[in-house]
Amino acid sequence: DPSGAYLVKETRPHRGRVHQVVFDGDVEYVASCSEDLGVVVQGLYSDEATRLDYGKPMFAVALDPEYRVKKSRQVVVGGAAGELILNSRGWMGPKNHVLFRGEGPIHSVRWAGSLIAWASDRGVRLWDTV
């Protein structure tokens, strides 16, 4: 390619339409969410991959900006079920914590610093993780 750009990685982790693709703050991991009811987090420069299944189509995903360095490996997801879910790893395995529910599907989510912002049918909300 004359511009110097090149393909870093190509995968097909989903069986349905992908709704969103995001990076962590260090651009070492990429997450995607899909109508196949799942979220996949993959290492860009490794074979590491984690699949999270939620039983409903997922429309939005965001990675903790410090995903690479934190042992908790936090991911926030939302979708058709109308729940904003924080998934984190603990010493007893993965755990889901519902941060919010009840205002229709979650259409979009962003994580910057300690703030998580998301949009549902009724507006935009902010959550501070500190």
Side-chain angles (χ1 to χ4, degrees):
D1 182 314
S3 68
Y6 62 96
L7 182 66
V8 174
K9 190 171 201 162
E10 182 177 0
T11 65
R12 289 181 171 75
H14 297 285
R15 296 176 304 281
R17 179 186 304 162
V18 174
H19 286 281
Q20 191 172 24
V21 178
V22 299
F23 294 104
D24 70 321
D26 292 326
V27 192
E28 293 283 330
Y29 290 87
V30 62
S32 55
C33 61
S34 171
E35 288 182 1
D36 70 0
L37 318 181
V39 172
V40 176
V41 181
Q42 302 176 81
L44 285 176
Y45 306 103
S46 72
D47 292 331
E48 183 179 349
T50 303
R51 181 173 177 89
L52 308 169
D53 289 300
Y54 289 98
K56 296 278 185 186
M58 302 310 290
F59 303 147
V61 60
L63 291 174
D64 179 343
E66 297 181 2
Y67 185 89
R68 182 181 67 83
V69 296
K70 287 187 178 174
K71 291 181 182 179
S72 60
R73 296 287 173 99
Q74 293 182 318
V75 181
V76 66
V77 299
E83 295 179 329
L84 185 71
I85 302 167
L86 177 66
N87 177 281
S88 60
R89 289 186 195 174
W91 63 276
M92 293 182 63
K95 181 179 179 185
N96 288 315
H97 177 75
V98 176
L99 299 178
F100 189 80
R101 71 165 54 105
E103 291 189 349
I106 305 296
H107 301 289
S108 180
V109 64
R110 295 290 184 270
W111 192 333
S114 66
L115 295 175
I116 298 171
W118 71 95
S120 69
D121 286 349
R122 300 188 80 199
V124 175
R125 294 186 181 264
L126 295 167
W127 180 279
D128 195 333
T129 61
V130 175

